[in-house]
Amino acid sequence: FPLTNAMTARSRESLSDLQFTGAYRVPFQYAPYLRQHLSVGAFLRFHRIEPRQMLVVHDELDLPPGTVKLKFGGGTGGHNGLRDIDEVLGSRDFWRLRIGIGHPGNKDIVHSYVLSDFAKAEHTGWVETLIDASADNAELLARGEDASFQNKIHLALAAKGFVDPNAPNETP
């Protein structure tokens, strides 16, 4: 929740009011322990929002820690939260902001790894920087300026030494 809370709180405009290519991106907070995926469908129906207008922010094992990638549609990649949302919506056609957390290296500990909190050093390091940069630039994302949004995150992480500033737009 820290990322979506910060993005919503710092936005100078309502993220759901910003149009891009004829649609809207609506942040929806997902907490697996609350099984909120069940309320995704109700939320979208109540507000008359199509799944393609929604942005789901989620962790991604297949990306290095701190890497930020935006994509539309696609599979679940084994992510239980995305699988649950797909089932409730009956569609995979929604926006995903994938936040890399890296893989623990052993498939037997993946479940406990994804449900655990970040180490204190990570949280006060790249995680905090990523949250701040994402929140400060949320309007770019809402307007569909995806490359600019991802570049701002990369530059913020590079400025604090978490990534080589001359490296491709791959964060730590």
Side-chain angles (χ1 to χ4, degrees):
F1 291 143
L3 178 60
T4 53
N5 285 341
M7 288 173 77
T8 303
R10 291 191 202 166
S11 177
R12 289 181 291 282
E13 301 176 61
S14 169
L15 296 181
S16 62
D17 290 340
L18 293 170
Q19 290 195 17
F20 81 105
T21 61
Y24 301 92
R25 291 189 184 166
V26 180
F28 186 85
Q29 296 177 351
Y30 174 76
Y33 57 88
L34 294 176
R35 306 293 291 177
Q36 282 188 329
H37 65 276
L38 297 174
S39 59
V40 171
F43 176 85
L44 296 181
R45 281 189 300 278
F46 180 81
H47 292 285
R48 294 188 172 103
I49 299 168
E50 297 293 321
R52 73 182 188 298
Q53 298 170 298
M54 178 178 67
L55 171 68
V56 175
V57 179
H58 67 88
D59 57 357
E60 180 63 60
L61 281 170
D62 295 333
L63 294 175
T67 302
V68 176
K69 296 287 182 185
L70 183 73
K71 74 181 255 185
F72 181 79
T76 64
H79 193 289
N80 290 333
L82 291 177
R83 185 178 12 250
D84 290 346
I85 290 172
D86 286 354
E87 287 177 17
V88 169
L89 297 181
S91 173
R92 292 183 173 181
D93 294 335
F94 55 87
W95 289 94
R96 300 126 191 264
L97 181 61
R98 303 162 58 213
I99 308 295
I101 61 169
H103 196 284
N106 180 343
K107 68 178 184 165
D108 295 332
I109 62 170
V110 164
H111 184 74
S112 61
Y113 177 75
V114 299
L115 295 178
S116 64
D117 200 1
F118 292 105
K120 186 174 181 173
E122 286 181 304
H123 196 274
T124 58
W126 70 264
V127 173
E128 187 174 281
T129 301
L130 184 137
I131 289 171
D132 288 342
S134 297
D136 290 343
N137 294 288
E139 291 168 13
L140 292 172
L141 186 62
R143 284 195 293 265
E145 297 176 32
D146 306 339
S148 294
F149 174 81
Q150 292 176 104
N151 191 47
K152 294 280 188 178
I153 304 302
H154 178 78
L155 292 174
L157 289 163
K160 298 227 177 159
F162 298 115
V163 65
D164 177 357
N166 298 316
N169 218 2
E170 294 290 329
T171 49

